[in-house]
Amino acid sequence: PVVDDDEEEYSSAVDMDKIIECIPELKTRLEPFTLHYREALAWILSGSRKATYYGASLGEGIQVGGDPDLIQGEHEPRCGMCQQPMRFLFQFEDVFGEEYLLGDAGMGYIYGCDAHPEQCQGFVDCC
Protein backbone atom coordinates (compact mmCIF):
# COMPACT_ATOMS: atom_id res chain seq x y z
CA PRO A 1 0.00 0.00 0.00
CA VAL A 2 0.89 3.63 -0.40
CA VAL A 3 0.52 5.85 2.63
CA ASP A 4 1.05 9.55 3.32
CA ASP A 5 2.10 11.20 6.58
CA ASP A 6 -1.40 10.77 8.02
CA GLU A 7 -1.38 7.03 7.21
CA GLU A 8 -4.13 7.55 4.61
CA GLU A 9 -4.09 4.61 2.21
CA TYR A 10 -4.31 5.30 -1.49
CA SER A 11 -6.44 2.73 -3.22
CA SER A 12 -5.91 2.30 -6.91
CA ALA A 13 -8.72 1.50 -9.30
CA VAL A 14 -6.02 0.26 -11.66
CA ASP A 15 -4.95 -3.37 -11.59
CA MET A 16 -1.14 -3.32 -11.28
CA ASP A 17 -0.88 -6.90 -12.56
CA LYS A 18 -2.81 -5.91 -15.70
CA ILE A 19 -0.56 -2.89 -16.29
CA ILE A 20 2.57 -5.04 -15.87
CA GLU A 21 1.10 -7.69 -18.15
CA CYS A 22 0.46 -5.04 -20.83
CA ILE A 23 3.80 -3.26 -20.30
CA PRO A 24 6.29 -5.90 -19.09
CA GLU A 25 9.17 -3.41 -19.35
CA LEU A 26 7.87 -1.77 -16.15
CA LYS A 27 8.71 -4.89 -14.16
CA THR A 28 12.12 -5.09 -15.82
CA ARG A 29 12.87 -1.46 -14.97
CA LEU A 30 11.63 -1.62 -11.35
CA GLU A 31 13.07 -5.00 -10.33
CA PRO A 32 16.67 -3.77 -9.92
CA PHE A 33 15.43 -1.36 -7.21
CA THR A 34 12.81 -3.38 -5.34
CA LEU A 35 11.32 -6.84 -5.07
CA HIS A 36 7.95 -5.13 -4.58
CA TYR A 37 7.59 -3.68 -8.08
CA ARG A 38 3.76 -3.82 -8.05
CA GLU A 39 3.61 -1.71 -4.89
CA ALA A 40 6.28 0.65 -6.19
CA LEU A 41 4.30 1.16 -9.40
CA ALA A 42 1.11 1.83 -7.40
CA TRP A 43 3.03 4.36 -5.30
CA ILE A 44 4.43 6.11 -8.38
CA LEU A 45 1.01 6.24 -10.02
CA SER A 46 -0.69 7.56 -6.85
CA GLY A 47 0.71 11.01 -7.61
CA SER A 48 0.88 11.91 -3.94
CA ARG A 49 3.68 14.41 -3.48
CA LYS A 50 4.22 13.38 0.14
CA ALA A 51 3.55 9.68 -0.29
CA THR A 52 5.94 7.23 1.25
CA TYR A 53 6.18 3.85 -0.37
CA TYR A 54 6.17 1.03 2.17
CA GLY A 55 7.13 -2.50 1.15
CA ALA A 56 10.67 -1.91 -0.08
CA SER A 57 13.42 0.13 1.47
CA LEU A 58 12.59 3.28 -0.49
CA GLY A 59 11.86 5.31 2.64
CA GLU A 60 11.48 9.08 2.61
CA GLY A 61 13.10 11.27 0.01
CA ILE A 62 11.04 10.57 -3.09
CA GLN A 63 8.76 13.20 -4.61
CA VAL A 64 6.51 12.56 -7.58
CA GLY A 65 5.25 15.57 -9.54
CA GLY A 66 5.00 19.13 -8.37
CA ASP A 67 8.08 21.32 -8.52
CA PRO A 68 11.54 19.88 -7.97
CA ASP A 69 13.34 20.68 -4.73
CA LEU A 70 16.55 21.83 -6.41
CA ILE A 71 19.90 21.61 -4.65
CA GLN A 72 21.83 23.52 -7.30
CA GLY A 73 20.62 25.54 -10.29
CA GLU A 74 17.66 25.01 -12.59
CA HIS A 75 17.78 22.13 -15.06
CA GLU A 76 16.79 22.85 -18.64
CA PRO A 77 15.94 19.44 -20.10
CA ARG A 78 14.78 19.32 -23.71
CA CYS A 79 13.39 16.36 -25.62
CA GLY A 80 15.92 14.76 -27.95
CA MET A 81 13.21 14.30 -30.58
CA CYS A 82 11.18 17.54 -30.60
CA GLN A 83 13.51 19.86 -28.62
CA GLN A 84 10.59 21.00 -26.41
CA PRO A 85 11.15 21.57 -22.69
CA MET A 86 10.54 18.46 -20.60
CA ARG A 87 8.24 18.21 -17.60
CA PHE A 88 9.50 17.33 -14.12
CA LEU A 89 8.37 13.79 -13.23
CA PHE A 90 10.04 12.83 -9.95
CA GLN A 91 13.09 13.20 -7.73
CA PHE A 92 14.78 10.90 -5.28
CA GLU A 93 17.46 11.02 -2.62
CA ASP A 94 19.82 8.17 -1.71
CA VAL A 95 16.92 5.83 -1.04
CA PHE A 96 17.89 2.75 -3.04
CA GLY A 97 20.60 1.44 -0.73
CA GLU A 98 24.30 2.02 -0.26
CA GLU A 99 25.20 0.63 -3.70
CA TYR A 100 23.35 3.52 -5.40
CA LEU A 101 24.63 6.60 -3.55
CA LEU A 102 24.27 9.95 -5.31
CA GLY A 103 27.30 11.68 -3.84
CA ASP A 104 27.31 14.00 -0.83
CA ALA A 105 23.59 14.36 0.03
CA GLY A 106 22.73 13.98 -3.64
CA MET A 107 19.38 14.21 -5.35
CA GLY A 108 18.36 12.58 -8.65
CA TYR A 109 15.84 14.34 -10.90
CA ILE A 110 13.91 12.77 -13.78
CA TYR A 111 12.17 14.76 -16.53
CA GLY A 112 10.05 13.48 -19.43
CA CYS A 113 8.52 14.66 -22.67
CA ASP A 114 4.72 14.52 -22.87
CA ALA A 115 4.80 14.17 -26.67
CA HIS A 116 7.49 11.45 -26.62
CA PRO A 117 7.11 9.45 -23.36
CA GLU A 118 10.07 7.24 -24.24
CA GLN A 119 12.32 10.31 -23.96
CA CYS A 120 13.55 11.06 -20.43
CA GLN A 121 16.48 12.92 -18.94
CA GLY A 122 18.04 12.55 -15.54
CA PHE A 123 20.21 14.89 -13.49
CA VAL A 124 22.08 14.37 -10.23
CA ASP A 125 22.94 17.34 -8.00
CA CYS A 126 25.03 17.19 -4.84
CA CYS A 127 25.51 19.58 -1.94
Side-chain angles (χ1 to χ4, degrees):
V2 177
V3 191
D4 71 6
D5 293 338
D6 298 322
E7 298 295 324
E8 176 184 341
E9 187 170 330
Y10 291 88
S11 61
S12 174
V14 180
D15 181 353
M16 292 303 118
D17 288 326
K18 185 69 172 172
I19 289 175
I20 291 169
E21 178 184 320
C22 293
I23 310 169
E25 296 83 15
L26 290 172
K27 177 181 176 185
T28 303
R29 295 206 179 216
L30 290 171
E31 275 185 325
F33 303 106
T34 178
L35 297 174
H36 307 278
Y37 55 87
R38 285 177 189 84
E39 292 85 354
L41 182 59
W43 178 82
I44 291 167
L45 294 176
S46 75
S48 173
R49 183 175 178 154
K50 295 190 178 213
T52 300
Y53 163 66
Y54 295 98
S57 59
L58 296 182
E60 297 290 337
I62 299 177
Q63 172 189 319
V64 178
D67 295 318
D69 183 17
L70 298 169
I71 294 175
Q72 297 177 358
E74 293 279 331
H75 305 128
E76 296 182 9
R78 293 198 168 268
C79 176
M81 295 182 76
C82 67
Q83 300 306 310
Q84 292 299 307
M86 296 177 124
R87 180 171 53 94
F88 171 71
L89 300 176
F90 65 95
Q91 71 184 46
F92 55 93
E93 295 178 35
D94 291 330
V95 295
F96 297 110
E98 302 229 355
E99 63 271 14
Y100 299 104
L101 294 178
L102 300 174
D104 185 18
M107 182 81 71
Y109 305 88
I110 306 298
Y111 297 83
C113 178
D114 290 329
H116 303 99
E118 71 279 6
Q119 297 291 309
C120 294
Q121 280 189 29
F123 297 84
V124 174
D125 291 349
C126 298
C127 291

